Amino acid sequence: MKNNGDFAPTELLGSGEGGRGGEAHGAGGHQNLDIRFTGSGSEYFRIWIVNLLLILVTLSLYWPFARARRIANFQNNTVVGGHALGFHADPWKMFRGYLVVLAFSIAYTAVSELAPGISWLPILFLAALWPALWRASLHFRLRNTSWRGVRMAFNSPLAGAYGAFVPFYVLALLYVVSAPSSILLGPAVAIGMGLLTLLAVLMLPWFVLRLKRYQHGGYAYAGEQTRLDLPVRSFYGLSLKSMGVLVLGAAALVALGFAFKRVGSTGPLVWVALLAGLYLLTPLVLLPYTTVRLQNLIWSNTSSPRIRIHSQLRFVDYFKINALNWLLILVTLGFYWPFAKVRAARARLEAITLEVPDDVDAWVAQAQSRKGGVLGDAAGDFFGFDMGL
């Protein structure tokens, strides 16, 4: 589901590139459900500017209501097989959850100021709750999303959330234990911390894959539950390719600098331009490349017994969209941001194809007839937390 922000609404429902209007029948008793994103930048801009003003006026208290409006706008404009997604969350439940988070932030600030020696206690408390809050956020978001009158669900167990975070907690504990020792014991422990940092970097792809396996193994709709069948080597391969893109981009800029030097054009402006190019490599090249490859890798390997998902997002297309978005955001001093979000969301959503059985009508009707299947009460929402995780 998401990820990063607004892409979460269509975790189980995708889009195809063939035929944008509805359902395309394929061989073997299956059909592809097309997706159309009907939202517009001007519509989202109005929502965004009002949300921003109300958040400022209310000293951030309007934030959960603003988030509910934004999610509803994106999901209601996501049309899958001729049917739009629904969003049914109660903003007041989200507000209660926000108050809990706000109270925790205030308590942490107070403890840090009045008793800095125990400021680690609130952090430890949050760390202990974080997997549960993450799972609650996923449950809340999915449980309040529907398609054709049937709500989605998130069914991964709570124990699995804690299990997914175990490697991160172990590394964090080692850092906490080693940090004071590095000051007292000198170079030997400092070298050990350096090796620990290297280990953390090497483990990062595996850690992210654990989180994704848990997340993508819990999406459910109409009796179907997905799973992510992806070997860890694929994630490491993606990491190496992303690193290679960054290194090649940096090498190209360095080579350009030496080329200018050879012809005698090495003024200050040239070096400033090259340094700016190095700085922009991440948002303009690395992030789009990683976004495209990660989406295709994750969703093309997410499936259930009756659902197959295929993602064919192209780097060149997404690179152009991302570069133009950044340029227009800078030119408009940030006011193009809502339009940029809509353009990026449309590109990502419409790159996915969802393959379902031909009897999808009967399948959905059967799910609607189950107790609690049709827009049922969203019970068990942990204070209505929706942290966009």
Side-chain angles (χ1 to χ4, degrees):
M1 285 188 187
K2 137 172 68 102
N3 122 7
N4 302 333
D6 291 316
F7 190 56
T10 56
E11 280 76 20
L12 292 180
L13 304 174
S15 62
E17 296 186 357
R20 296 284 177 203
E23 301 173 354
H25 291 266
H30 288 79
Q31 59 178 304
N32 295 326
L33 297 182
D34 284 340
I35 188 172
R36 291 184 300 110
F37 186 73
T38 59
S40 66
S42 57
E43 177 188 15
Y44 183 48
F45 177 83
R46 291 191 294 270
I47 294 174
W48 174 77
I49 197 68
V50 171
N51 283 346
L52 181 61
L53 292 174
L54 289 176
I55 289 173
L56 293 175
V57 169
T58 62
L59 302 178
S60 84
L61 292 179
Y62 188 75
W63 185 85
F65 299 92
R67 183 167 176 78
R69 289 187 65 198
R70 177 165 57 86
I71 295 173
N73 174 261
F74 274 84
Q75 295 198 181
N76 295 157
N77 282 295
T78 301
V79 181
V80 182
H83 301 271
L85 297 181
F87 184 66
H88 314 281
D90 180 2
W92 285 101
K93 294 191 69 175
M94 299 174 73
F95 179 70
R96 292 196 296 270
Y98 179 71
L99 289 181
V100 173
V101 175
L102 185 62
F104 176 84
S105 301
I106 294 173
Y108 173 71
T109 302
V111 171
S112 299
E113 292 293 331
L114 300 177
I118 60 171
S119 60
W120 54 271
L121 281 176
I123 298 178
L124 182 62
F125 179 74
L126 179 61
L129 280 182
W130 189 258
L133 296 177
W134 178 51
R135 180 187 179 276
S137 178
L138 293 169
H139 172 79
F140 181 84
R141 184 67 173 271
L142 269 292
R143 192 66 184 87
N144 287 287
T145 297
S146 69
W147 183 65
R148 297 183 62 167
V150 179
R151 293 210 184 191
M152 300 180 188
F154 184 76
N155 294 334
S156 290
L158 178 59
Y162 279 92
F165 275 89
V166 164
F168 173 79
Y169 285 158
V170 170
L171 285 173
L173 180 61
L174 290 175
Y175 267 112
V176 170
V177 172
S178 302
S181 302
S182 65
I183 299 175
L184 298 175
L185 301 180
V189 177
I191 293 174
M193 288 197 67
L195 294 176
L196 187 61
T197 301
L198 178 61
L199 177 62
V201 172
L202 293 176
M203 288 179 62
L204 184 60
W206 176 63
F207 173 58
V208 174
L209 179 58
R210 286 174 63 89
L211 297 180
K212 289 299 181 181
R213 279 176 175 168
Y214 174 82
Q215 184 178 353
H216 283 244
Y219 300 149
Y221 178 79
E224 292 288 304
Q225 183 163 333
T226 60
R227 64 184 182 277
L228 176 60
D229 293 322
L230 187 63
V232 68
R233 65 176 180 273
S234 299
F235 246 62
Y236 276 97
L238 173 60
S239 300
L240 291 175
K241 290 177 182 177
S242 298
M243 188 180 301
V245 168
L246 184 61
V247 170
L248 286 176
L253 288 173
V254 171
L256 186 62
F258 280 110
F260 278 114
K261 183 178 180 179
R262 180 169 297 179
V263 298
S265 301
T266 55
L269 290 179
V270 172
W271 292 114
V272 169
L274 291 175
L275 288 175
L278 286 172
Y279 179 78
L280 293 174
L281 269 178
T282 296
L284 293 183
V285 180
L286 181 61
L287 288 182
Y289 178 84
T290 304
T291 296
V292 168
R293 300 306 179 195
L294 187 61
Q295 172 173 317
N296 291 342
L297 183 65
I298 292 292
W299 287 111
S300 295
N301 288 279
T302 299
S303 64
S304 75
R306 305 179 71 188
I307 299 174
R308 295 292 181 271
I309 303 174
H310 308 282
S311 178
Q312 297 179 335
L313 187 60
R314 298 179 67 245
F315 170 68
V316 173
D317 295 338
Y318 196 71
F319 170 79
K320 293 176 181 177
I321 292 172
N322 183 70
L324 182 59
N325 282 347
W326 274 103
L327 175 62
L328 292 176
I329 288 173
L330 291 174
V331 170
T332 61
L333 301 179
F335 283 97
Y336 188 76
W337 187 85
F339 298 87
K341 293 291 289 185
V342 168
R343 293 185 73 228
R346 178 177 290 111
R348 295 185 64 184
L349 291 172
E350 295 187 356
I352 299 176
T353 302
L354 178 66
E355 185 180 322
V356 298
D358 267 339
D359 61 345
V360 64
D361 292 330
W363 173 39
V364 172
Q366 183 180 12
Q368 289 174 333
S369 66
R370 297 192 187 105
K371 184 178 180 180
V374 184
L375 306 183
D377 179 40
D381 298 336
F382 194 103
F383 292 110
F385 279 108
D386 181 30
M387 300 177 291
L389 300 177

